[in-house]
Amino acid sequence: MLHTMSTSVESATERSAAEVNEEIRALWLRSGGTLSAQQREEYRRLVMEWAAAAPQSAEAA
């Protein structure tokens, strides 16, 4: 379904969920708590990457 993931995230798939979470936190800190349209797009991409890297058991939570 997500065609862009296969091209834009391939090189980043080796990162752990913790590493991606740190990048998400840094994005929020840089934004001062209000994301621009471009930052929201980056946030959405990071959350999808984090979900892919998170342990499968997290889906049941």
Side-chain angles (χ1 to χ4, degrees), residues 2-61:
L2 301 170
H3 301 291
T4 56
M5 296 235 356
S6 63
T7 55
S8 62
V9 184
E10 268 183 12
S11 62
T13 54
E14 298 303 317
R15 297 195 301 171
S16 71
E19 289 172 313
V20 178
N21 190 41
E22 274 304 307
E23 190 170 337
I24 291 170
R25 287 173 184 257
L27 173 64
W28 278 106
L29 285 173
R30 285 194 312 271
S31 73
T34 303
L35 298 177
S36 68
Q38 181 179 2
Q39 288 169 323
R40 280 194 302 272
E41 208 40 56
E42 181 180 358
Y43 174 76
R44 188 173 297 126
R45 179 188 59 80
L46 288 168
V47 168
M48 289 179 2
E49 183 181 343
W50 175 85
Q56 295 302 317
S57 61
E59 291 179 12

